[in-house]
Amino acid sequence: MRSSREARASDQAYWVLTFDAEGGEGDGKQCARIAAEARAAGVRDLVVLAHTGHNDEDTAAGTDDRFRSLFADVSDHEGLGFVSVHWPGMRFPPEPRLTDATEAALNRTFPGAEQLVADLRALLDERPVRFGAVDDVGMMLRRLVEAPLHSDVNAYAMDTGDGLLPQSDPAMLFDSATHVCEGFAHALEQAGEEAERTARRPERIEQPSTGAEAPTVSKSGTLTESETAGPRPPDAPTDWLARSEPLGPRTRPFGSSEVGEAPDRLWDGAYQLLCQAVSYAIRRHAGLIGERGLAPALRRIADELPDARIHLVGHGAGARLVAYAARGLKDGAHRVGSLTLLQAAFSHFAFAGHQPQQLRGGGALAEVVESVAGPVVCGYSHYDLELGLLFPLASRLIGESPPEGGVGRVWGALGYDGAQGVEGCPTLTLADALVEDALPRSGCVNVDTSAVVRDGAPPLGAHEDVFHHDVARLVLAAGRITGEERRASDRP
């Protein structure tokens, strides 16, 4: 017998919109079907959701249902409909081993590379101690994620630079694989130790000062860039992020004949290299699919539903997908009602008009706010180790060295410490953001969701801990699509 919650979720107006890795839209008739059925269902607010839980059809459907059931619990808005974007994304389990299910997901994500994936798994399963074995993993990963120079996907490799410089590749794919894997392994060890210490001490969040009032060093010991908006998280997940040298904790003598005295530790690092290399490729495709696939699809749906508002919601790499979709709607004729980013896996400088440290122009999404009628809500949690630790370590580009401020400040993720370098971007706690009319009517706003997005052990931390009723309420508040908020927004 179904629970009342399951019954409410099943009664929601719900559709799936499917794209391939190049942004191709299924059979080409999906948008027309969605628009026709949404019109018949009386949909006035259409929430378009993108996440990365597409390892298989059951995983994707289960993730969709979990998100939709949250809204069924907190809203009885009859005009609310949902579209889930299905695309070649995937997520890894925390255990440092490839399973049959994960191998199948990799084959779905990288069609035509089945033999390469099988060879990678064989190495990661065997964990040989012979010289060069870990380097073989690095070579295979480069082959797995590489894209031809003429491929359109290369234009979506970075969220910074504003087109001023050519796109580049992450250094983790070209540095010594042994060195990189040791760095990942060491960082994860420190993160585990720090997680235990954090559980025994009170939280500390420092709000920013800007301009002439900005101190040289913050109270929690991190450098503060003048004129940079954005909250300062507590101390970094590990002091490894403050290093001014490359990843590896030590250099290995040339010609060393084995992987070292702790081979399992090094191979755990190799598994993380696999995870981060694949995540990089997925994020790259997310940008392309968003701008060249989802954005045109939203235009067609909006043309058929002129009285409905479309709200974009994304989690992880799915947040990058919907953010680039908003960028693809910059013509102004099809502005989305709101954009809510949950644990967004892209640069915290992506919305910046100017990047204080990098001096590489503005962020790639600096003009996105003009494509959104309502607010751009950047939800973040400093309990997210995937974004607070692994993302910045994996995001250093070829030829770049960590500055004195540490890799977290330059290559940090929006989902860990919010949007940075954005003028007039306030920071709210989740509780404050849910107060009626607390969110701005437009523009960028950071919302610290750490009060609920907080559970999870290394290496992911709280990255997947987003299934909370208050998170659903945040989406509804951003779109002003519930109760008095919606009625007030409809008044002239």
Side-chain angles (χ1 to χ4, degrees):
M1 182 176 180
R2 294 190 307 170
S3 67
S4 59
R5 176 178 180 177
E6 292 172 330
R8 290 195 301 272
S10 66
D11 290 339
Q12 293 170 331
Y14 166 63
W15 300 271
V16 170
L17 186 55
T18 303
F19 296 96
D20 62 27
E22 305 306 318
E25 181 217 322
D27 61 5
K29 301 177 181 179
Q30 297 178 106
C31 293
R33 287 197 296 267
I34 291 172
E37 294 175 15
R39 190 185 311 110
V43 170
R44 302 194 305 275
D45 288 283
L46 191 63
V47 173
V48 179
L49 169 70
H51 55 78
T52 56
H54 300 291
N55 297 45
D56 52 54
E57 293 182 3
D58 288 342
T59 300
T63 305
D64 293 345
D65 291 345
R66 288 190 72 185
F67 270 109
R68 291 191 300 114
S69 66
L70 296 174
F71 291 90
D73 285 347
V74 302
S75 174
D76 57 0
H77 180 40
E78 294 181 356
L80 188 60
F82 295 86
V83 170
S84 183
V85 179
H86 285 200
W87 58 291
M90 64 168 289
R91 59 190 182 209
F92 285 89
E95 298 77 15
R97 299 277 182 174
L98 278 180
T99 64
D100 290 345
T102 307
E103 182 178 358
L106 284 168
N107 289 334
R108 287 165 60 102
T109 306
F110 299 97
E114 291 82 2
Q115 186 58 54
L116 186 55
V117 170
D119 292 343
L120 270 167
R121 181 180 182 183
L123 267 178
L124 291 168
D125 283 348
E126 182 185 353
R127 299 189 164 205
V129 295
R130 61 177 171 78
F131 174 67
V134 174
D135 291 330
D136 288 345
V137 172
M139 177 190 67
M140 291 178 182
L141 286 174
R142 284 193 293 274
R143 289 174 53 199
L144 183 68
V145 306
E146 67 184 356
L149 289 177
H150 63 273
S151 174
D152 289 345
V153 78
N154 290 318
Y156 298 91
M158 296 166 54
D159 299 303
T160 56
D162 198 23
L164 297 180
L165 293 175
Q167 300 288 339
S168 187
D169 290 309
M172 66 173 172
L173 293 174
F174 295 89
D175 284 349
S176 161
T178 300
H179 204 62
V180 171
C181 293
E182 283 187 339
F184 277 131
H186 189 75
L188 287 171
E189 287 176 351
Q190 287 205 338
E193 295 170 1
E194 181 64 21
E196 293 180 2
R197 288 193 293 269
T198 300
R200 298 193 296 267
R201 71 186 182 199
E203 290 183 47
R204 177 175 59 200
I205 295 290
E206 179 187 348
Q207 296 302 321
S209 299
T210 58
E213 298 179 355
T216 303
V217 180
S218 72
K219 293 177 181 177
S220 48
T222 57
L223 295 183
T224 305
E225 295 85 11
S226 181
E227 301 293 349
T228 301
R232 295 293 179 267
D235 297 328
T238 163
D239 60 15
W240 208 241
L241 296 184
R243 290 167 57 91
S244 58
E245 58 260 33
L247 268 178
R250 62 185 182 276
T251 58
R252 183 175 299 282
F254 179 77
S256 175
S257 62
E258 57 184 9
V259 297
E261 59 280 352
D264 279 341
R265 173 179 175 275
L266 182 60
W267 282 104
D268 287 350
Y271 178 79
Q272 284 306 319
L273 176 57
L274 165 69
C275 295
Q276 295 310 309
V278 169
S279 295
Y280 160 72
I282 288 173
R283 292 194 299 269
R284 189 174 56 185
H285 275 285
L288 182 148
I289 294 168
E291 186 164 46
R292 304 194 183 188
L294 181 57
L298 293 176
R299 285 195 193 95
R300 294 193 291 275
I301 292 173
D303 285 341
E304 297 295 324
L305 295 173
D307 296 328
R309 298 184 304 167
I310 294 176
H311 308 274
L312 302 182
V313 181
H315 171 253
R320 193 173 195 258
L321 192 153
V322 295
Y324 275 83
R327 189 176 80 163
L329 297 173
K330 59 187 177 183
D331 56 15
H334 301 86
R335 299 172 74 195
V336 296
S338 63
L339 173 62
T340 305
L341 308 173
L342 306 173
Q343 305 311 115
F346 59 81
S347 171
H348 56 195
F349 286 127
F351 293 118
H354 174 72
Q355 298 167 77
Q357 274 197 342
Q358 290 173 297
L359 302 178
R360 301 178 68 172
L365 302 174
E367 298 180 358
V368 158
V369 292
E370 299 175 9
S371 303
V372 182
V376 176
V377 177
C378 304
Y380 70 92
S381 170
H382 55 261
Y383 292 104
D384 188 331
L385 287 179
E386 168 69 18
L387 300 182
L389 173 65
L390 298 173
F391 181 96
L393 289 177
S395 296
R396 180 173 65 90
L397 302 179
I398 297 174
E400 293 185 336
S401 297
E404 292 184 1
V407 301
R409 293 303 301 146
V410 176
W411 302 303
L414 185 145
Y416 179 71
D417 57 6
Q420 308 286 312
V422 180
E423 289 292 332
C425 178
T427 296
L428 303 174
T429 66
L430 180 57
D432 288 343
L434 295 179
V435 173
E436 186 173 357
D437 287 329
L439 292 176
R441 297 264 170 177
S442 61
C444 217
V445 55
N446 286 319
V447 177
D448 181 356
T449 62
S450 300
V452 296
V453 182
R454 58 188 301 124
D455 290 338
L460 298 180
H463 185 65
E464 300 290 343
D465 186 31
V466 294
F467 299 98
H468 298 280
H469 292 120
D470 279 351
V471 171
R473 292 186 180 97
L474 180 64
V475 173
L476 297 173
R480 300 183 183 275
I481 54 179
T482 60
E484 290 298 323
E485 288 183 340
R486 174 59 197 257
R487 288 193 288 273
S489 68
D490 288 342
R491 295 185 189 118

